Amino acid sequence: MSPAHRPHILIVDDEPHLCELLAFRLEHHGYRVTTELTGKAGIEALGRERVDAMIVDLRLEDGDGLDVLTEVQKRSPDVPVVILTAHGTIETAVEAMKRGAYGFLTKPFHDHDLLQKLGHAVESAKLRREVAGLRRIVGAESDEMRLLGTSDRIAAAREVIARVAPTDATVLLLGESGTGKELAARSLHGLSPRRSKPFIAVNCSALPAELLESELFGHVRGSFTGAVRDKEGLFASAHGGTLLLDEIGDAPAPVQVKLLRVLQERRFTRVGSMAEEEVDVRVVAATNRDLLAEVRDGRFREDLFYRLHVVPIVMPPLRDRVEDIPLLAEVFLSRAAARHNLSEPTPTPEALRMLLAHPWPGNVRELANVMEGAVLLCRGQRLQPDDLRALLVPPTRKLETRPSEVEIEDAELATAAEASEAMVLALGDHSVDLPPLRAARDAFERAYLVEVLRRANGNVSAAAKLSGRNRTDFYDLLRKHGLSSASFKE
């Protein structure tokens, strides 16, 4: 790749040796690098040429890296900034994210962490520019429609949305309740050429088959008892725009047949009519069910599944994007405070740790509701753990949750040794029901990870070394079991 086409990274750090080391590492991995020793010089360099991403030290000789970040946001808001510091605290991380930082790395850091964060930052900048060009055509996306977060999982979902939005491809949104599937559907519509046309959503589980069929396709007068006049269905109402079929897994069998036909032929008939009508609608479907399992069990048509499964987008649960919680919490606090005309409280580090440790079975929707309740119940300008305890719903599914700050000593989170002993006792006691092998293995693995994190006081590098795994594998295991190292820091 020619130098002009290589991603350009601007490093601002007052340590010349570190600048040289970072430049050497990044150039070796195909980046073009410019280094500056002061914040002022970094801002001037940003104005001279195009930059794809910045690495800015928090403590600079001529000022604060967060002030540099603020200036970058003013001048070049599409340039992602990774803050680099030896003074990592939750408060600083939250402040950096509030001001728009893309990421946060604490010295000393591993090459893999830096390269991964920087790679996503550069891709994010590229997508922002693409989306900005699209927005100039179809209009700006409102703040309420944005899929917020900097985690790899949500960034991947945003990337797919940005790529398929300009097309008419059918999209299937998968994920648990509360993960933002409707928000993703609205983003698809808002970034598409159909933006000026209607966006209509219908919940397929809310109505019985007869009423849902009439709601979707319309009916003619006299087609059934109560049909006193002709009615236009949602497909006709959404002509030229986008129709979201929410909870598609609950659609009754007769409706599935008609949906398959309209997807194949772009034609439908109203209930009680023989006349066909053409329709130009982009269909987006969403479900929290395992549709393949529904197909195997005969509850969902296989041909309809493949018609919908053109572009699947998985919306990650909040427990798999824990690093987004501080930013989301701040945004939801701000929105709730403005909505209720109240002052916005600032979470204490202890409150943030509690939020990071909660399993969030209701996902982002639950977090938004908790933050609204926190704004209403907070007794001062600082959001404390006591303000949150009454709002956080205890988990009901033990194997899918992380330990909360106050529950970390519970039997569910027994040490690896205790988990092993319990399993041995179960094997020897025929009166005790054995769990499936996979569940037993997952339970032991989770308990082992909890114990390793405890012994390492939440230090991931030390915990990975204790367990004999590399950091990348260890992080994958933590994500798999919904664990956050922050919950175990002393």
Side-chain angles (χ1 to χ4, degrees):
M1 184 183 296
S2 68
H5 291 89
R6 288 186 295 168
H8 183 201
I9 310 301
L10 174 59
I11 300 171
V12 183
D13 197 301
D14 55 11
E15 297 181 43
H17 175 70
L18 181 60
C19 284
E20 291 177 10
L21 181 61
L22 282 173
F24 175 78
R25 290 175 177 174
L26 296 178
E27 287 171 352
H28 175 72
H29 286 278
Y31 293 100
R32 182 165 62 94
V33 180
T34 298
T35 62
E36 298 292 349
L37 300 178
T38 65
K40 181 181 178 182
I43 294 299
E44 291 173 352
L46 183 65
R48 287 194 300 267
E49 56 182 318
R50 173 167 162 162
V51 172
D52 294 292
M54 290 180 67
I55 300 173
V56 179
D57 192 19
L58 185 65
R59 301 284 181 256
L60 294 168
E61 190 175 295
D62 65 338
D64 191 325
L66 293 183
D67 293 335
V68 175
L69 169 64
T70 300
E71 193 62 27
V72 172
Q73 292 289 303
K74 291 178 183 176
R75 297 181 180 221
S76 302
D78 287 339
V79 175
V81 178
V82 176
I83 295 293
L84 191 62
T85 179
H87 310 278
T89 64
I90 289 181
E91 294 97 324
T92 308
V94 171
E95 182 63 24
M97 301 304 279
K98 283 173 65 177
R99 294 202 192 186
Y102 182 84
F104 192 89
L105 284 174
T106 304
K107 304 173 187 176
F109 53 85
H110 287 259
D111 281 1
H112 174 271
D113 296 333
L114 173 66
L115 291 170
Q116 185 180 57
K117 182 68 71 177
L118 206 54
H120 288 302
V122 169
E123 182 64 20
S124 172
K126 179 182 175 184
L127 286 170
R128 284 183 189 180
R129 291 179 183 125
E130 290 176 357
V131 171
L134 183 59
R135 284 178 184 161
R136 282 192 289 272
I137 300 172
V138 300
E141 184 183 11
S142 72
D143 183 62
E144 294 288 337
M145 285 174 56
R146 292 167 56 210
L147 287 169
L148 297 170
T150 61
S151 63
D152 294 347
R153 295 288 300 276
I154 200 66
R158 276 201 306 265
E159 177 183 353
V160 178
I161 288 171
R163 292 187 185 283
V164 303
T167 74
D168 277 338
T170 303
V171 174
L172 179 61
L173 296 166
L174 305 166
E176 299 173 10
S177 295
T179 51
K181 296 189 292 295
E182 182 169 343
L183 191 61
R186 291 183 180 276
S187 293
L188 280 163
H189 176 72
L191 296 173
S192 78
R194 296 175 177 268
R195 177 186 174 86
S196 61
K197 300 298 183 179
F199 173 89
I200 296 177
V202 58
N203 189 324
C204 296
S205 66
L207 298 169
E210 297 79 8
L211 290 181
L212 179 60
E213 186 175 352
S214 171
E215 191 73 15
L216 288 172
F217 304 107
H219 62 254
V220 296
R221 187 178 65 176
S223 55
F224 55 85
T225 303
V228 296
R229 62 178 63 89
D230 290 354
K231 177 186 175 181
E232 182 178 70
L234 295 181
F235 268 96
S237 299
H239 184 76
T242 303
L243 179 63
L244 169 62
L245 302 174
D246 202 6
E247 303 300 345
I248 187 66
D250 294 320
V255 174
Q256 291 182 34
V257 174
K258 296 198 76 170
L259 286 175
L260 178 63
R261 183 162 184 264
V262 76
L263 285 170
Q264 288 175 332
E265 302 175 15
R266 302 294 174 182
R267 292 172 175 270
F268 68 92
T269 55
R270 300 189 190 197
V271 176
S273 172
M274 299 297 290
E276 285 191 334
E277 298 180 39
E278 291 189 3
V279 68
D280 171 26
V281 170
R282 184 192 195 159
V283 172
V284 178
T287 182
N288 59 13
R289 292 178 177 269
D290 182 347
L291 283 191
L292 272 179
E294 298 290 303
V295 169
R296 286 194 297 270
D297 294 341
R299 291 189 293 269
F300 199 82
R301 293 183 63 97
E302 184 175 13
D303 44 8
L304 177 58
F305 169 78
Y306 287 113
R307 279 286 174 182
L308 295 171
H309 198 266
V310 178
V311 179
I313 301 177
V314 178
M315 300 304 296
L318 191 53
R319 63 180 175 275
D320 286 351
R321 43 182 295 218
V322 176
E323 58 268 47
D324 289 336
I325 289 175
L327 173 62
L328 290 169
E330 293 292 316
V331 170
F332 293 145
L333 282 172
S334 178
R335 289 180 184 173
R339 186 161 53 248
H340 295 288
N341 198 26
L342 296 170
S343 60
E344 179 186 344
T346 301
T348 63
E350 294 77 18
L352 278 172
R353 279 195 286 272
M354 180 175 282
L355 294 177
L356 290 168
H358 186 66
W360 300 109
N363 294 297
V364 178
R365 184 186 297 133
E366 181 189 0
L367 177 59
N369 291 337
V370 168
M371 291 300 96
E372 182 167 13
V375 165
L376 297 172
L377 299 179
C378 184
R379 290 160 289 190
Q381 292 303 307
R382 300 280 282 170
L383 185 63
Q384 304 287 348
D386 286 345
D387 299 319
L388 294 171
R389 285 194 174 94
L391 300 169
L392 296 176
V393 179
T396 57
R397 295 175 294 177
K398 292 185 176 182
L399 289 179
E400 296 180 10
T401 63
R402 295 191 315 281
S404 73
E405 193 173 26
V406 295
E407 295 172 328
I408 203 163
E409 300 298 333
D410 286 354
E412 177 198 355
L413 297 177
T415 63
E418 290 169 338
S420 300
E421 183 179 355
M423 188 56 64
V424 170
L425 289 173
L427 290 171
D429 185 353
H430 292 268
S431 66
V432 177
D433 290 336
L434 280 173
L437 178 60
R438 175 182 239 167
R441 185 166 51 234
D442 286 349
F444 177 84
E445 187 174 72
R446 190 177 194 283
Y448 178 85
L449 292 172
V450 168
E451 182 63 18
V452 169
L453 285 170
R454 278 177 174 165
R455 296 189 185 191
N457 291 323
N459 185 309
V460 174
S461 296
K465 187 174 181 181
L466 276 173
S467 64
R469 306 295 290 265
N470 62 47
R471 278 170 56 91
T472 302
D473 290 345
F474 196 82
Y475 270 120
D476 288 342
L477 287 171
L478 294 185
R479 280 193 290 270
K480 172 185 173 184
H481 292 283
L483 292 170
S484 169
S485 60
S487 307
F488 300 86
K489 294 186 185 293
E490 291 184 347

